[in-house]
Amino acid sequence: MSPNRFSTSLLGTVALVLTVLVSTACSTATPVCPQPAAAEPVLPVPTTSPALGTKTDWSSLGPARPYLRSLRGGPTFYEVTWCEVQLESGEMDWRNPDAVVDQAHSLGFITMLKIRVGECPWLTGEVPEYLRGKQAKTESSMPLDLTAYAGFVKQVVERYEPAGVNEYAVENEVNSESFWNGTVGEYRTLVAVAARVIHRTDGDAAVADAGMSSVASGYGVVARLLELGEPERAIDAYNAYFSRRIGTRGEQIVRVSSEAELRDALATEKAKRNLAYMRVTERLVARGLVDARQIHFYEEWSSLPLLLEYLHATTPATMPLELWELGAYLGHAQLDDKQRTVELVKVISLALGGGVTKVVWIPLFAEPDSGEELELYGLLSSKATTRPASTAFAALDAAADKSLPVAINGSAVVGTAFQRHGRGTAFVWARCAPAIVSLPAGSRVGGAASAGAGRAGDTMIGDEPVRIDFAVPVRAFLRTVS
């Protein structure tokens, strides 16, 4: 599989709009901070810079174009649905996917395509039960004719390979009934058929699994810990991972306090379906039937390490981990604009430092006419004006350009450093209590062009991330902050 070719245009210096504040995470006089795990997972050595992108309606960008052009380009995705492209008459209508791929390409972004069947009598023999969003997306069913399906997949690859598309997913979040009306076995068959056609049509293309929902991944995390004989850790992981979901979905996700309650939570029909599709995904990646593992994550940032631990334990070390969908579901939480920006910096830093090679933030825009979003947080306002989050995202994007990420997992400070030719940029914050670190000569805190930026020497690091530009090899920098 050849690496994706992303635009490498240099971004102008962007100062991260975050200030160093004393941590309020620990309220006791002498807080006991959690220390790094005794055995950290061995991460594959990255060979290419990570790529950051965003998901949006590419047909109506309006004033967002300048911001998108300021980024270095990156991944985005779109669903190409057979029932929408091949009409009942048999005529093919490619106008919507053509417009998306062309628009994204014109701004330097590369579209990854989710190839879906959809639901329509002329191709699946069924009528839709679920309709989602403004475009009334439907669930998918197994095609009546797999040979015809293979032909459709071939047409997709032949049509979009010249536009730079070189990665495809087969379906989307099949753990949900609103996305997939087939069985686990039918999904596995569909992946095998599609992957074979994609590889034969474009030998350099990569195939990803459907990407299970963020909730389903949480069940995978917890079930693995139970299987390892760690029930107490499994209970803690369940309550932490679903902290913003508990109480928002009726009786489906509830707080647990014992192993029996946890096992009851995993025995619901919804949980069993989620786990069945997590297991089939594990088998697909273990047997090499897909080339990349697709991840969706919308939980609180502090739960991402739990998911990364699970993914590294169940995915071959040579297989890329790709966050096709990263966002921030709040549930009952109330966060202001600055707090949301802090969470964005932390979750993206942890993802890239944890071995994730692609990150697609959802959504680009805030939901219109809703004031502050109740659920997902847009980089830009509904009118496409910049926010602190969009500035922070651009700073992370610039730091990752032509750089290799290295996790910072010290006793007092955590984050990620991006190394390039004897210098680099790091985004760090205190593990728990405020920490004083002595930075090497030539370092700048808050951004290289920030007026009054801090210089080398003792620097207080609090709960909010700070950007540090350093002028020494990354190993030397890590020694000063770890």
Side-chain angles (χ1 to χ4, degrees):
M1 178 179 67
S2 64
N4 288 330
R5 299 180 293 277
F6 296 101
S7 168
T8 57
S9 58
L10 293 176
L11 177 69
T13 304
V14 182
L16 180 62
V17 187
L18 294 173
T19 56
V20 183
L21 297 178
V22 175
S23 170
T24 58
C26 303
S27 58
T28 58
T30 55
V32 178
C33 295
Q35 297 301 304
E40 294 294 326
V42 178
L43 303 179
V45 178
T47 57
T48 58
S49 299
L52 276 65
T54 185
K55 177 70 168 66
T56 186
D57 179 0
W58 292 92
S59 66
S60 58
L61 294 175
R65 291 175 184 276
Y67 176 73
L68 291 171
R69 288 195 181 101
S70 77
L71 303 176
R72 62 190 172 106
T76 187
F77 68 84
Y78 181 76
E79 292 183 7
V80 179
T81 305
W82 192 16
C83 282
E84 295 174 6
V85 171
Q86 185 168 339
L87 308 180
E88 187 171 4
S89 64
E91 182 182 354
M92 306 300 285
D93 183 356
W94 300 96
R95 286 176 296 177
N96 286 341
D98 281 357
V100 168
V101 172
D102 290 346
Q103 187 72 264
H105 186 71
S106 71
L107 291 168
F109 288 78
I110 297 297
T111 307
M112 305 180 292
L113 294 179
K114 296 186 179 185
I115 301 177
R116 301 189 63 239
V117 176
E119 191 81 286
C120 55
W122 57 95
L123 296 176
T124 66
E126 302 283 349
V127 296
E129 183 178 351
Y130 300 93
L131 297 176
R132 295 176 290 104
K134 298 177 182 178
Q135 297 179 337
K137 295 284 186 180
T138 74
E139 70 274 26
S140 289
S141 282
M142 197 66 173
L144 295 172
D145 186 341
L146 277 177
T147 301
Y149 170 74
F152 171 71
V153 172
K154 187 173 188 294
Q155 288 183 72
V156 171
V157 178
E158 289 177 337
R159 189 174 189 88
Y160 296 112
E161 187 276 334
V165 177
N166 66 354
E167 186 161 5
Y168 306 85
V170 185
E171 293 297 327
N172 176 67
E173 293 192 0
V174 289
N175 62 285
S176 171
E177 294 176 344
S178 63
F179 284 103
W180 178 244
N181 191 34
T183 66
V184 171
E186 287 173 333
Y187 164 64
R188 185 171 56 243
T189 298
L190 203 68
V191 171
V193 171
R196 183 168 59 250
V197 172
I198 292 167
H199 288 140
R200 286 179 178 175
T201 308
D202 180 359
D204 290 331
V207 179
D209 64 282
M212 300 304 121
S213 72
S214 183
V215 169
S217 294
Y219 283 112
V221 167
V222 173
R224 173 179 171 270
L225 293 175
L226 278 179
E227 291 166 1
L228 291 174
E230 301 181 41
E232 292 302 318
R233 191 166 172 232
I235 293 168
D236 291 342
Y238 181 94
N239 289 325
Y241 190 96
F242 293 123
S243 62
R244 290 181 177 171
R245 305 274 181 176
I246 293 170
T248 64
R249 297 196 175 196
E251 297 301 316
Q252 290 187 16
I253 301 180
V254 297
R255 184 171 301 279
V256 300
S257 58
S258 67
E259 182 177 352
E261 290 179 353
L262 178 58
R263 291 191 180 278
D264 285 344
L266 297 183
T268 65
E269 290 305 311
K270 188 67 174 179
K272 287 191 290 186
R273 179 182 172 103
N274 285 333
L275 287 172
Y277 282 96
M278 293 302 296
R279 298 296 184 238
V280 73
T281 302
E282 292 172 11
R283 291 193 292 272
L284 289 173
V285 301
R287 296 172 184 174
L289 293 179
V290 294
D291 308 303
R293 187 157 189 181
Q294 182 185 163
I295 313 161
H296 299 177
F297 184 77
Y298 293 97
E299 314 311 316
E300 186 175 359
W301 69 272
S302 57
S303 294
L304 182 62
L306 288 168
L307 178 57
L308 291 174
E309 177 187 337
Y310 161 78
L311 291 168
H312 284 296
T314 58
T315 309
T318 55
M319 180 171 289
L321 300 177
E322 301 176 349
L323 257 168
W324 286 40
E325 296 188 23
L326 177 62
Y329 172 80
L330 282 187
H332 298 305
Q334 299 292 322
L335 300 181
D336 61 25
D337 202 54
K338 185 173 73 173
Q339 291 171 316
R340 290 197 180 217
T341 302
V342 165
E343 292 212 350
L344 177 145
V345 174
K346 287 182 176 181
V347 74
I348 294 178
S349 297
L350 290 176
L352 300 182
V356 173
T357 59
K358 294 179 182 177
V359 170
V360 180
W361 184 267
I362 295 180
L364 173 64
F365 294 106
E367 287 294 327
D369 304 321
S370 65
E372 282 301 313
E373 302 94 313
L374 296 178
E375 295 190 357
L376 301 185
Y377 186 68
L379 296 177
L380 304 175
S381 74
S382 59
K383 297 181 180 179
T385 56
T386 57
R387 292 171 149 179
S390 58
T391 304
F393 186 85
L396 285 158
D397 182 61
D401 186 24
K402 296 186 176 68
S403 299
L404 299 180
V406 178
I408 300 171
N409 196 32
S411 59
V413 173
V414 295
T416 296
F418 298 89
Q419 57 177 324
R420 82 167 70 81
H421 306 304
R423 59 193 309 113
T425 300
F427 297 85
V428 300
W429 58 93
R431 179 177 291 278
C432 182
I436 296 177
V437 297
S438 183
L439 299 178
S443 299
R444 298 280 187 124
V445 180
S450 296
R455 295 178 181 271
D458 291 345
T459 300
M460 175 74 76
I461 305 295
D463 181 59
E464 296 187 17
V466 296
R467 171 179 170 171
I468 302 172
D469 295 303
F470 53 91
V472 296
V474 69
R475 290 185 181 277
F477 176 76
L478 292 177
R479 283 196 293 269
T480 69
V481 297
S482 299

